[in-house]
Amino acid sequence: MRMIGMGEKSVVVCGKRLLALFSILLGSAVQAFPCDQPIMISNWSLCAIANVSAEGGAADWKAVPAWTREKTISAYFENEPRLLANHGLCNAKFHRVVLCQPGWETGDPDECSYLICSGYYSSVFGKEEREAYERDHPTAQ
């Protein structure tokens, strides 16, 4: 049996640590951030799957997809399903939501909400409606 000297042992330990650090860096480089991915408008649709209720409250949850009730998702629309049903876009494939209220179109560029809202708006509404909106809201661009 061969004994590993102190110098050889520290090189082995250092090599293992370096390899672990390299794998962490490589893994984080591959990780995709929201704005690194192209926005596919086809993945987004209006969140309303039914009409909001006359009584409001808990009954309004029937107007939006069930997966939007998750605490991590409902925090984005302040746990208000009526707000999401009236002004939200949902990405059922990746379980993402964004609010597109008038005046909020610029959103948070780090979350690409501007790209989603303006892109979806452009794809849903015709040229005349879009031009009328741009006349009424010149700073929304």
Side-chain angles (χ1 to χ4, degrees):
M1 180 172 258
R2 182 171 177 249
M3 299 283 287
I4 297 177
M6 207 51 168
E8 291 176 22
K9 187 175 182 180
S10 65
V11 169
V12 171
V13 170
C14 184
K16 287 182 180 179
R17 288 181 182 167
L18 189 59
L19 183 60
L21 179 62
F22 179 73
S23 65
I24 290 170
L25 290 174
L26 183 62
S28 64
V30 172
Q31 180 183 7
F33 295 98
C35 289
D36 293 339
Q37 300 299 309
I39 300 299
M40 300 297 296
I41 299 303
S42 59
N43 289 338
W44 293 85
S45 62
L46 297 173
C47 290
I49 57 173
N51 291 328
V52 292
S53 66
E55 63 266 14
D60 282 338
W61 283 107
K62 294 177 185 172
V64 294
W67 57 264
T68 61
R69 294 181 186 151
E70 296 174 25
K71 288 183 180 184
T72 55
I73 295 172
S74 64
Y76 284 102
F77 55 93
E78 298 175 0
N79 207 28
E80 292 289 338
R82 187 172 292 249
L83 180 64
L84 186 64
N86 290 330
H87 302 286
L89 297 177
C90 287
N91 185 326
K93 183 176 182 179
F94 296 107
H95 285 200
R96 300 284 189 263
V97 299
V98 66
L99 296 177
C100 293
Q101 292 182 308
W104 290 17
E105 283 85 358
T106 54
D108 182 351
D110 292 333
E111 294 180 5
C112 300
S113 56
Y114 174 77
L115 297 174
I116 296 166
C117 290
S118 63
Y120 187 83
Y121 185 86
S122 297
S123 70
V124 171
F125 296 101
K127 182 181 179 198
E128 290 177 19
E129 290 86 355
R130 194 166 50 251
E131 288 172 353
Y133 177 83
E134 289 169 355
R135 271 193 313 276
D136 293 342
H137 302 89
T139 59
Q141 295 294 326

